Amino acid sequence: MCGETTISIPTPENTPGGGETVYALTKVDQERLVLLWGKQTGIPTVALRYSCTYGPRQSLFNPYTGVIAIFCTRLLNQQPPILYEDGGQTRDLCFVEDIAMANLLAATNDKLDGLPVNVGSGRATSVRDLAGIIAHQLGIAIPPIARGEFRPGEIRSLISDISRIRTIGYKPQTTLEQGIARYINWIRTQSAVEDYFSKAEAGLRAKGIVQSVQN
């Protein structure tokens, strides 16, 4: 509205959200349903809003499992990671053990009962930088490719404001670099890793979920 360049900031729980995709709308509806049910029944409930979660045992066979798994399988098959937009969009990536700790804290503390609660690392990483970190740790020097495509409804930046959950002792313990190293170590224990992304993306493009910026 002001014509200035936007600056990404952490998103607190009270940020208005209407659900701009079917996926997002289901999350909003589930959260409201659970919190309302808890209020009406008197049963303590907390709605944990996980950021992008990753870690060992995250499926390598599901092309929708997450960007880290997708980039790993692409590179291991000597294929470049595919970037939507310009690769500058950011995500808050949180290691699975930190997510597990957040669940334990929320389950054993009543301070956040009845509230939506962000769970993440509190750190923003661009998708392009993420591809570089993974390629470096795999030792595979294949640069990512941006083809001038995007997915409608995708947000440009995601940084979780984790101030609320910090009040019950939550503190992320695993850096992105450490977490990716542990994930890659797990991948190396698996059998042949295939690239399922190409076929899945073709289906998304055919359904209009992946579009060209020139359209």
Side-chain angles (χ1 to χ4, degrees):
M1 294 175 65
C2 65
E4 298 295 327
T5 301
T6 59
I7 299 174
S8 298
I9 61 173
T11 302
E13 289 86 353
N14 61 2
T15 299
E20 300 301 324
T21 65
V22 173
Y23 175 78
L25 186 60
T26 62
K27 294 291 187 182
V28 172
D29 286 348
Q30 290 167 11
E31 178 179 291
R32 293 181 63 187
L33 177 64
V34 168
L35 293 179
L36 177 60
W37 174 82
K39 181 178 180 180
Q40 291 184 339
T41 61
I43 297 175
T45 57
V46 180
L48 298 181
R49 297 176 175 177
Y50 304 140
S51 295
C52 304
T53 306
Y54 72 98
R57 296 191 296 278
Q58 185 173 35
S59 176
L60 293 168
F61 311 108
N62 182 348
Y64 309 102
T65 193
V67 65
I68 293 177
I70 291 171
F71 283 180
C72 285
T73 56
R74 292 283 293 177
L75 287 164
L76 287 169
N77 283 276
Q78 301 302 307
Q79 298 293 323
I82 301 301
L83 306 180
Y84 295 121
E85 302 176 31
D86 59 358
Q89 64 271 38
T90 62
R91 294 293 181 266
D92 186 330
L93 301 149
C94 194
F95 192 64
V96 63
E97 289 182 3
D98 289 326
I99 295 291
M101 178 55 66
N103 278 266
L104 178 61
L105 289 169
T108 55
N109 191 301
D110 61 5
K111 186 174 182 179
L112 302 181
D113 289 353
L115 297 173
V117 180
N118 291 337
V119 182
S121 68
R123 169 187 174 183
T125 302
S126 77
V127 178
R128 185 178 292 278
D129 287 346
L130 176 63
I133 293 171
I134 294 173
H136 175 73
Q137 294 205 19
L138 284 172
I140 301 174
I142 300 178
I145 295 176
R147 301 183 299 201
E149 295 178 322
F150 71 101
R151 294 185 296 186
E154 288 285 304
I155 60 175
R156 179 65 177 176
S157 297
L158 171 61
I159 316 170
S160 293
D161 183 337
I162 55 176
S163 300
R164 178 172 288 177
I165 195 168
R166 283 187 183 277
T167 64
I168 60 171
Y170 175 75
K171 182 179 180 180
Q173 299 294 314
T174 309
T175 67
L176 179 60
E177 291 77 10
Q178 292 170 339
I180 289 177
R182 291 180 60 181
Y183 183 53
I184 289 174
N185 286 339
W186 173 78
I187 289 176
R188 296 193 189 282
T189 68
Q190 305 304 297
S191 56
V193 176
E194 297 183 34
D195 171 29
Y196 294 89
F197 173 76
S198 298
K199 182 178 179 180
E201 189 194 38
L204 295 176
R205 187 177 291 107
K207 295 175 182 178
I209 298 176
V210 173
Q211 298 180 15
S212 170
V213 296
Q214 298 176 349
N215 289 345

